[in-house]
Amino acid sequence: MKSKAKESADKSTFKKLRRLYIFALLTIAITVVLSQLLIQYNLKRQLSDSRIINISGKQRMLSQKLTKEVLILNFVTDTAKSKQEIFRINETLSLWKSTHYNLEKGNDSLGFPKEKSPNLLALFTSIKPHFDSIVSATTQFLINNKEHKNKKENQKLVQTILENEGVFLLKMNQIVSKYDHEALDKVTLQRKTEYVIFGFTLLILLLELIFIFKPTNQKVEKLISKLLLSEKKALKLAYNTEIISEIKENSVKELKSLNYAMENTLLYCRVAPDGSLIHIGEKFSKLLQYNPFVSDKTFSQVLTPIEKEQLTISRIISEKQRSGWQGELNITNRKGESLWLDISMVPVTIKKEESELLIICFDITERKKAEQEVERLNTENVTNKINQQKIISSKIVENQENEQNRIAREIHDGIGQMLTGLKFSLESINLDDKEKAAQKIEYLKKLSLDIIKGVRTATFNLMPPELSDHGIVSSIAKLTQELSKLTGKNILFYNKTNFDKRLDSLIEINIYRLTQEAINNALKYAESTHIIVQLSHSSTILSITIDDNGKGFDINAAEKKRNSESGMGLLFMKERIQYINGRVFINSIPDEGTRITFNIPI
């Protein structure tokens, strides 16, 4: 009766614990599901926010693209190309307008909300006049270009677009920042909500620990104590000869398994102090291609057929049979292949005054091959770098020699000949013949002006006086003007942020040379007709962008041609920009044009 009552009480207790476990699991499951639903809802809202921020950032790019295309169209004279540029501007303008209206008014299909915060409404209101001005000016500009009239008005329209584009970018930056700030507020709210759910879950776990797990633990401890007591009694009853015999049999099986594992997994053998082989493992014998039933060979003869290597191994066994030895050996097997073994010799005492060597090996041939290959690759890499540096040095010296020869030719063929002519003309003046003397003096004046112009051209190529006198902005402006006059191409310069600071002379000359190199490449290789040089800056970065409408090139292919003129040109450009801790970005599309941007810390 007592046992039945006890069983009934135990069943009642377990049923109660089971109900409590089910309740606890359901509570945790509901909490997790609610938490996931809330997280998924907030993630969906954040995806919409990220899309809005991305589209808002794209608006800035579209406004810059629209301005660039208007500037290019303003200088295009070819009718067919003008039509292509007008079509491209219409596409950009249409996309820009539709995107802006969707951001401002909202779009359900794109997930853009129609309701906005007061701050965003105020920002869209403030940006609207500049947006409308750009749209109106661009539209009128396109109409004038289609009808081929009002060129003066077009210049005013281009100026209007440039003036409003900078303000539009600034306002758009504020809108993107505001969208980002509001998204951050949503994430902060979500994090607080998750903290509340997390705290609630911890509270449930604590209550379950107190009212469910602790009582269950006590009950289980009692059951385990009873089981352990029963086990001890069973072991005492089972402790007899049969169990001892079974234990011995298991030990024999374990020894056999251990011996089999050593034979087939380890490279090991037993060697007598005189070097003769006592026993060799199966895996080791397969590696060395040795018949283990042949017992008339020493360990050194088993390892290698090469006599010199046998003498080295025998000497090691003779000297280290008492102290042991560990090291790496390179041997040649019977096929003539080179093997590397990591060998450990351990002295083992069998009986009094009777010992042997237990030799355990690891095949490290592949590792050694890998190490040799890594060493070869490192050596090859160093050699390539040295050769590349030699090429760069030789090209620098070659360019210096070419520049010196060019200057010498200019001075000899141009200035030198004019000075010689000046000398002879001066000597031939006859003051008695005033009319001819006056004519020669006028000729000498013109010749003197040509000489002065030649000297100025030569000195401008060496070191433009604008650079040392007025700085980088004035020198780049002068450079574009001079090259535009010389080549007849449209080369324009814009100081977008009105940068007027002076930099270190070394930085200024490198910036000037980089800009000069980029413009010359656009003229020489890209066959460009329009080149736009834009300068802008922030508090830490000075940025110079050179855009051309040339034939473009494949950047990867050019960089691979290290020995060609174009490949070396890119390499020199990168070397020079790195010298002043700057960075260069090159983006080129074949048959469309190239953009090169230099960013220099200031």
Side-chain angles (χ1 to χ4, degrees):
M1 292 292 291
K2 289 183 179 179
S3 62
K4 288 183 179 180
K6 190 174 182 180
E7 285 182 9
S8 178
D10 289 340
K11 287 182 180 180
S12 177
T13 302
F14 278 111
K15 286 182 179 179
K16 183 178 179 182
L17 289 174
R18 184 169 58 196
R19 287 195 297 269
L20 289 173
Y21 266 111
I22 292 172
F23 172 77
L25 292 174
L26 283 175
T27 305
I28 294 173
I30 291 170
T31 305
V32 171
V33 169
L34 289 175
S35 175
Q36 284 300 315
L37 289 174
L38 180 62
I39 289 171
Q40 292 300 323
Y41 172 74
N42 287 326
L43 285 176
K44 186 176 180 181
R45 293 177 63 190
Q46 289 172 21
L47 286 174
S48 177
D49 293 340
S50 65
R51 190 181 299 113
I52 291 172
I53 293 171
N54 185 30
I55 296 298
S56 300
K58 186 178 178 182
Q59 274 298 88
R60 298 178 293 183
M61 181 274 292
L62 287 174
S63 69
Q64 290 178 316
K65 182 182 178 184
L66 182 64
T67 304
K68 175 186 172 183
E69 291 173 350
V70 167
L71 287 172
I72 292 174
L73 178 59
N74 190 37
F75 293 101
V76 171
T77 56
D78 184 23
T79 305
K81 195 163 185 180
S82 177
K83 289 181 179 180
Q84 293 178 359
E85 293 296 333
I86 291 172
F87 177 77
R88 187 183 300 175
I89 292 172
N90 278 322
E91 285 187 337
T92 305
L93 181 62
S94 176
L95 178 60
W96 187 52
K97 287 165 61 179
S98 63
T99 305
H100 188 81
Y101 291 144
N102 287 332
L103 286 172
E104 184 178 7
K105 305 298 182 182
N107 188 304
D108 294 334
S109 62
L110 295 176
F112 294 170
K114 295 181 180 180
E115 299 295 332
K116 294 182 177 59
S117 64
N119 289 332
L120 278 174
L121 288 174
L123 287 172
F124 273 107
T125 302
S126 65
I127 202 175
K128 182 174 177 56
H130 304 286
F131 173 80
D132 292 340
S133 296
I134 295 175
V135 171
S136 176
T138 304
T139 303
Q140 185 60 42
F141 178 79
L142 293 175
I143 293 171
N144 291 343
N145 271 276
K146 285 181 180 179
E147 297 176 356
H148 302 289
K149 65 179 184 178
N150 294 332
K151 292 187 178 181
K152 291 185 178 180
E153 183 183 355
N154 281 351
Q155 296 301 322
K156 293 180 180 179
L157 292 172
V158 170
Q159 187 62 32
T160 301
I161 292 170
L162 289 174
E163 290 173 355
N164 285 277
E165 190 259 351
V167 180
F168 178 86
L169 285 178
L170 179 62
K171 297 289 184 180
M172 207 65 212
N173 283 337
Q174 295 174 354
I175 290 174
V176 174
S177 299
K178 188 59 183 176
Y179 272 126
D180 185 60
H181 181 71
E182 291 182 357
L184 180 61
D185 290 340
K186 292 177 183 177
V187 173
T188 304
L189 179 60
Q190 178 188 347
R191 183 168 57 187
K192 292 180 180 177
T193 305
E194 289 179 355
Y195 281 151
V196 172
I197 295 173
F198 179 68
F200 179 70
T201 305
L202 289 179
L203 178 62
I204 291 175
L205 291 174
L206 180 62
L207 293 175
E208 289 175 355
L209 177 65
I210 296 172
F211 296 105
I212 297 176
F213 297 120
K214 189 174 180 181
T216 304
N217 183 54
Q218 294 174 351
K219 192 71 176 178
V220 171
E221 283 182 354
K222 290 179 181 179
L223 290 173
I224 292 174
S225 298
K226 291 179 181 179
L227 289 172
L228 290 174
L229 183 61
S230 300
E231 185 184 8
K232 287 181 181 179
K233 291 179 180 179
L235 286 175
K236 288 180 181 180
L237 294 173
Y239 191 73
N240 49 37
T241 307
E242 184 179 354
I243 295 176
I244 295 173
S245 176
E246 185 178 350
I247 293 172
K248 288 183 178 179
E249 186 178 347
N250 289 335
S251 298
V252 171
K253 290 181 180 179
E254 289 176 359
L255 287 172
K256 288 182 179 180
S257 299
L258 180 61
N259 184 59
Y260 177 80
M262 291 181 64
E263 290 284 339
N264 290 277
T265 59
L266 286 178
L267 304 177
Y268 86 99
C269 64
R270 294 160 54 205
V271 178
D274 61 354
S276 59
L277 188 66
I278 299 173
H279 173 75
I280 184 170
E282 184 176 351
K283 186 175 181 180
F284 202 5
S285 63
K286 288 180 179 178
L287 177 67
L288 300 174
Q289 298 177 344
Y290 171 71
N291 185 358
F293 299 103
V294 178
S295 58
D296 59 344
K297 290 188 177 182
T298 64
F299 175 64
S300 60
Q301 292 172 336
V302 171
L303 277 184
T304 175
I306 307 302
E307 184 177 355
K308 183 177 180 181
E309 295 177 355
Q310 291 176 359
L311 291 174
T312 301
I313 296 167
S314 298
R315 178 179 57 78
I316 293 173
I317 292 175
S318 175
E319 294 176 355
K320 304 295 182 180
Q321 59 178 288
R322 293 186 179 276
S323 60
W325 183 80
Q326 195 277 330
E328 297 177 355
L329 284 178
N330 181 216
I331 63 170
T332 305
N333 64 10
R334 284 166 176 76
K335 289 184 176 181
E337 299 171 344
S338 177
L339 292 178
W340 279 92
L341 297 177
D342 186 348
I343 299 179
S344 296
M345 297 181 180
V346 182
V348 179
T349 302
I350 306 300
K351 295 180 182 178
K352 189 176 182 180
E353 296 182 357
E354 184 179 347
S355 64
E356 61 184 47
L357 282 173
L358 176 63
I359 299 178
I360 300 174
C361 302
F362 295 96
D363 186 359
I364 59 171
T365 305
E366 294 299 324
R367 191 188 79 189
K368 283 292 184 180
K369 288 181 180 179
E371 290 176 355
Q372 292 171 358
E373 180 65 15
V374 168
E375 185 177 356
R376 185 188 68 78
L377 290 174
N378 287 337
T379 304
E380 183 178 343
N381 189 29
V382 170
T383 304
N384 288 338
K385 286 185 177 179
I386 292 172
N387 291 335
Q388 182 178 343
Q389 195 61 41
K390 287 180 179 178
I391 292 172
I392 293 172
S393 300
S394 65
K395 288 291 183 180
I396 290 172
V397 172
E398 182 182 345
N399 288 340
Q400 289 176 345
E401 289 296 327
N402 290 338
E403 183 66 15
Q404 291 174 359
N405 291 334
R406 184 186 63 80
I407 294 169
R409 284 196 303 270
E410 285 183 0
I411 294 174
H412 179 270
D413 298 340
I415 300 172
Q417 290 182 6
M418 286 189 288
L419 286 173
T420 303
L422 179 65
K423 174 179 177 295
F424 288 144
S425 296
L426 285 171
E427 290 175 350
S428 65
I429 292 176
N430 185 3
L431 295 177
D432 296 332
D433 190 348
K434 294 184 178 181
E435 183 177 351
K436 289 185 178 181
Q439 290 177 357
K440 287 188 176 182
I441 289 171
E442 287 300 322
Y443 170 73
L444 290 175
K445 287 180 180 180
K446 184 176 179 299
L447 185 59
S448 299
L449 290 175
D450 291 339
I451 293 171
I452 292 170
K453 184 177 179 181
V455 171
R456 285 180 176 176
T457 302
T459 55
F460 181 80
N461 289 331
L462 288 173
M463 174 60 73
E466 289 285 338
L467 187 62
S468 58
D469 295 340
H470 303 291
I472 189 64
V473 176
S474 180
S475 61
I476 292 177
K478 183 70 173 178
L479 173 67
T480 56
Q481 291 174 5
E482 292 293 330
L483 289 177
S484 183
K485 291 178 182 177
L486 270 169
T487 61
K489 309 294 184 180
N490 290 316
I491 306 174
L492 304 176
F493 172 68
Y494 295 99
N495 184 1
K496 296 180 65 177
T497 55
N498 296 322
F499 181 76
D500 58 356
K501 296 181 180 178
R502 292 300 304 267
L503 304 175
D504 182 79
S505 59
L506 183 61
I507 295 176
E508 286 188 339
I509 187 61
N510 276 283
I511 293 173
Y512 181 83
R513 293 304 182 198
L514 285 166
T515 307
Q516 187 180 42
E517 175 74 13
I519 296 174
N520 286 334
N521 288 343
L523 294 169
K524 183 177 180 182
Y525 301 112
E527 300 176 2
S528 307
T529 58
H530 290 79
I531 301 172
I532 299 176
V533 182
Q534 300 181 76
L535 184 147
S536 60
H537 77 290
S538 64
S539 58
T540 57
I541 295 294
L542 175 65
S543 181
I544 298 175
T545 303
I546 300 95
D547 290 300
D548 68 69
N549 64 342
K551 60 184 181 182
F553 64 96
D554 187 337
I555 298 174
N556 294 328
E559 288 183 343
K560 289 178 182 178
K561 297 177 181 177
R562 290 294 189 186
N563 295 326
S564 69
E565 190 172 356
S566 59
M568 294 305 296
L570 291 177
L571 183 60
F572 290 152
M573 195 176 289
K574 291 181 179 179
E575 290 285 339
R576 189 183 284 272
I577 195 68
Q578 288 176 1
Y579 182 68
I580 55 175
N581 298 322
R583 298 183 67 186
V584 59
F585 302 93
I586 303 173
N587 184 19
S588 184
I589 301 175
D591 300 325
E592 289 193 19
T594 302
R595 164 173 282 193
I596 299 177
T597 302
F598 302 109
N599 287 342
I600 303 97
I602 56 175

